[in-house]
Amino acid sequence: MNTAPPQWPRRPSPVLDWLIGAGRHLPTAQDLVGALAERLVDAGVALFRVTFHLQTLHPQLRAVAIIWRRGRPGVETVRVGHGIERTARYLNSPVRVLLEGAGGVRQRLDLPGVDFAFPIFDDLRAEGATDYVGLPMTFSDGRVHGTTWTTDQPGGFTVEDLIRIDDLLPLVATILETRLTRRIARNLLDTYVGRHAGERILAGQIIRGTGESVRAAIWYCDLRGFTAMTESLPLERLIASLNDYFECMAAPLEHHDGEILKFMGDGMLAIFPLDREDAYERALRAALEAQHAMAQLNERRRASDEPTLGFGIALHAGLVMYGNIGAPTRLDFTVIGPAVNQAVRIEALCRELGRQLLVSATFRRHCPHELVSLGRHVLRGVPEPAEIFALPEAA
């Protein structure tokens, strides 16, 4: 009995061998597309332009186009937002035909007297291209993506050129699907749990009850009058108002490298880990920028005869437990601890004290800015009254 591995006959393809070996280990889809196109050119395929059109799952992006052109440095990446499917740019594109189920698109660009179906063909012919081929790629989840190949070779693509490309596409699609799936997982984790928490989850910190103690500046904000808004505003306007408010809060946080942990109805919890010396400074600056953004938002709402939005922000600091909490089949990666509860209680004083921003004594001890005491106040569930600080009225 012969126990040697079988040797199946196959067409020689150095580019396919490279894809199976080093090519599939390239770190990004852009690296893969660029290297693949260059190797095909070296193998004798006169490529002028190559594109891959990958649909993705992202709250702001519908798709990503990766574009290689011979003679240009690097690979271009075009990020396409939601709504592109309603534009003339998309509707008058051969890529739309591919994504809607066409088995392929081919157009010779060097034939005289041809009225092209898509404007891109006129553009490519003006650049000297002679032939265009578009092919679909179906991933394992059934979603269809597209790829296009253009040459400026006299007479267009040869049959051998097209066979080479067609032979490579199944493996290219598999490698790209792996890259895209990884990117989608990171995008969704960044969007729904935050960038730092997403990194921890992808690094394997996923066991219930595991976590670490972190010293952090704690941010908690809340929207005023939300209950009344839910009863008086149509759902669309209510959601739009919430999104406007959260954008005013989140953008300064992200700008100053704060970590948004969760949205809780109309509240938002974030932290600034104290492993950086300027954590207190960044937290306060983010709060001041959020106040300014809310003032601008309310000016726009007044001009549109919409009710203004009241809010409160509390800044505190302390030790929190950061990790996986929840049921066996539904976990939350968040922070808990007395310091978090105190931040929520401090924010509740904003309405009573007529301030948009309140700061705990713990935070104030490490904050370089001038703050004034508003006296000691009882926090629900906290044994001793806590001294609360705010910015001077002039600020």
Side-chain angles (χ1 to χ4, degrees), residues 135-369:
L135 298 168
M137 296 185 302
T138 303
F139 286 2
S140 61
D141 61 359
R143 299 191 78 186
V144 178
H145 309 262
T147 178
T148 73
W149 305 75
T150 307
T151 184
D152 56 357
Q153 178 174 259
F157 285 115
T158 67
V159 173
E160 182 62 28
D161 291 337
L162 298 179
I163 290 174
R164 284 185 178 184
I165 293 169
D166 192 59
D167 282 349
L168 297 172
L169 271 188
L171 181 54
V172 174
T174 300
I175 299 170
L176 286 176
E177 181 173 6
T178 302
R179 301 289 183 278
L180 186 61
T181 300
R182 185 182 303 161
R183 173 54 58 186
I184 287 174
R186 182 173 293 279
N187 286 341
L188 293 178
L189 283 170
D190 289 352
T191 300
Y192 283 96
V193 304
R195 178 170 57 86
H196 299 291
E199 289 173 353
R200 286 175 166 86
I201 292 170
L202 288 176
Q205 297 182 27
I206 57 175
I207 301 174
R208 185 169 65 137
T210 59
E212 58 181 322
S213 293
V214 176
R215 296 197 64 83
I218 302 165
W219 159 308
Y220 180 74
C221 64
D222 190 52
L223 184 64
R224 295 283 170 261
F226 180 66
T227 301
M229 290 173 59
T230 61
E231 297 175 354
S232 62
L233 290 181
L235 181 60
E236 294 79 6
R237 287 180 59 195
L238 177 67
I239 292 175
S241 296
L242 269 177
N243 284 338
D244 288 342
Y245 152 69
F246 279 130
E247 185 173 347
C248 289
M249 295 291 154
L253 273 164
E254 293 173 344
H255 176 69
H256 290 285
D257 206 24
E259 181 174 357
I260 299 171
L261 296 176
K262 63 169 55 200
F263 298 95
M264 299 173 287
D266 58 335
M268 185 174 71
L269 176 65
I271 62 171
F272 292 78
L274 297 182
D275 54 358
R276 286 176 54 176
E277 293 182 358
D278 62 345
Y280 294 100
E281 172 76 13
R282 289 185 290 112
L284 183 59
R285 287 192 178 277
L288 296 175
E289 289 178 17
Q291 280 186 289
H292 181 65
M294 286 297 296
Q296 293 180 317
L297 172 63
N298 280 328
E299 284 295 328
R300 295 194 298 271
R301 292 179 69 86
R302 273 189 287 268
S304 303
D305 293 325
E306 292 185 278
T308 58
L309 303 177
F311 65 97
I313 301 173
L315 297 177
H316 185 39
L319 189 67
V320 297
M321 189 276 189
Y322 190 13
N324 289 283
I325 301 159
T329 57
R330 178 62 174 87
L331 294 174
D332 193 8
F333 204 95
T334 187
V335 296
I336 60 170
V340 176
N341 299 335
Q342 290 174 30
V344 175
R345 303 293 184 254
I346 292 169
E347 189 283 324
L349 291 173
C350 287
R351 183 198 297 271
E352 176 184 332
L353 299 177
R355 299 289 187 127
Q356 293 176 340
L357 172 61
L358 295 178
V359 174
S360 73
T362 305
F363 188 98
R364 184 249 184 185
R365 281 197 295 270
H366 302 278
C367 183
H369 289 267

Side-chain angles (χ1 to χ4, degrees), residues 365-379:
R365 281 197 295 270
H366 302 278
C367 183
H369 289 267
E370 180 186 358
L371 297 169
V372 297
S373 175
L374 302 183
R376 302 182 71 84
H377 297 267
V378 175
L379 303 179

Side-chain angles (χ1 to χ4, degrees), residues 63-75:
V64 173
I66 302 170
I67 304 170
W68 171 91
R69 284 177 177 267
R70 190 183 67 232
R72 293 190 183 180
V75 176

